[in-house]
Amino acid sequence: MAGPGRGLSSRMTTLGIIGSGNIGTVVAKLAVAAGIDVVLANSRGPESLREKAAELGVRAGTAVEAAEAGDVVVVTIPLGRYAEVPVEPLVGKVVIDTMNYYPSREGRIEELDNETSNVADLLQRHLPESRTVKVFNNIAAINLLNLARPSGAEDRSALPLAGNDADARKTVAELLDQLGWDAVDIGPLSESWRIETETAVYVDPYVSEGSSLERIMGGYDDPGKTAPAADIEKLVATAYRPPVKDRQF
């Protein structure tokens, strides 16, 4: 696992994470390894996280407490519950959105089906005074963990990110660097469809030969495959999103 990168500004001391699933857990592990304090929350309350928090070396809290404590806050919950994210504690903050749209889980969302909105638009509208950055949604948790590398490593991989605020994107890129990843800045949230499900940059670039998303989701410990920034840039630039009727979700 990667050690600290070049480091964030001195203002970044605590990462709030709302959601304790696979991605939230891995981001917490990487953050702790990089020397960042973490407050982790889930929908069941701090007591349900006591054992996991002790194992990870983080603090357990409520969603409000994680939102209040974090200099940057990660929202990593099922998309159908995005409206439960506390608004007031996140005013003015950078909020990382890792969510994906799976109709089999959330049900149909018309504005996503007809492509008048991207997934990230939903959270940004819910948090109008926050600065949302889309990242971590296109990779399986095990690959996020196993491919992390120190700054300057020849086999470092990259993650794409999008957000309407350039300074927020820079802040998240600095965080990624400290967690062991390069960043590919693809611009505003209007471009974030390029990194959603069923695009070329979704999961596959990071999965080792002979593995599959199904095996990974079934608990297979995939070592992963290096996906450098240049490769991710090409995949994002040539992204194609099939019509809704043809998607496999």
Side-chain angles (χ1 to χ4, degrees), residues 155-188:
D155 60 343
R156 213 177 202 216
S157 295
L159 291 169
L161 61 84
N164 293 337
D165 185 285
D167 287 339
R169 297 198 305 270
K170 181 180 178 181
T171 294
V172 174
E174 291 173 352
L175 174 62
L176 288 181
D177 178 58
Q178 196 162 1
L179 299 185
W181 287 80
D182 288 337
V184 172
D185 186 338
I186 69 170

Side-chain angles (χ1 to χ4, degrees), residues 44 51 95 104 131 147 153 200 240:
R44 298 181 300 280
E51 186 174 331
V95 177
S104 60
R131 295 175 291 163
L147 290 174
Y240 165 74

Side-chain angles (χ1 to χ4, degrees), residues 4-176:
R6 292 188 296 271
L8 293 165
S9 72
S10 60
R11 292 179 298 171
M12 174 63 186
T13 60
T14 303
L15 185 68
I17 303 178
I18 300 174
S20 60
N22 292 337
I23 291 292
T25 297
V26 168
V27 172
K29 286 182 180 179
L30 295 176
V32 169
I36 300 171
D37 288 335
V38 175
V39 178
L40 182 66
N42 66 11
S43 61
R44 298 181 300 280
E47 283 299 313
S48 68
L49 285 171
R50 179 176 294 180
E51 186 174 331
K52 175 177 281 192
E55 179 182 340
L56 293 172
V58 305
R59 288 180 282 155
T62 65
V64 169
E65 288 168 341
E68 290 175 339
D71 301 297
V72 173
V73 178
V74 180
V75 174
T76 180
I77 60 177
L79 178 62
R81 294 174 49 202
Y82 77 90
E84 298 174 19
V85 175
V87 176
E88 187 62 29
L90 294 173
V91 169
K93 293 190 177 186
V94 175
V95 177
I96 292 175
D97 170 14
T98 81
M99 296 181 289
N100 283 313
Y101 176 38
Y102 302 114
S104 60
R105 180 183 67 188
E106 277 90 31
R108 310 303 305 202
I109 300 175
E110 184 177 358
E111 62 186 300
L112 300 182
D113 286 347
N114 64 25
E115 298 179 7
T116 57
S117 290
N118 295 324
V119 173
D121 294 329
L122 301 181
L123 186 63
Q124 182 62 83
R125 289 203 306 264
H126 176 64
L127 303 172
E129 297 184 64
S130 302
R131 295 175 291 163
T132 299
V133 176
K134 190 78 175 181
V135 72
F136 296 132
N137 68 296
N138 73 309
I139 186 169
I142 192 63
N143 295 138
L144 179 62
L145 179 66
N146 288 343
L147 290 174
R149 300 288 187 274
S151 289
E154 291 185 1
D155 60 343
R156 213 177 202 216
S157 295
L159 291 169
L161 61 84
N164 293 337
D165 185 285
D167 287 339
R169 297 198 305 270
K170 181 180 178 181
T171 294
V172 174
E174 291 173 352
L175 174 62
L176 288 181

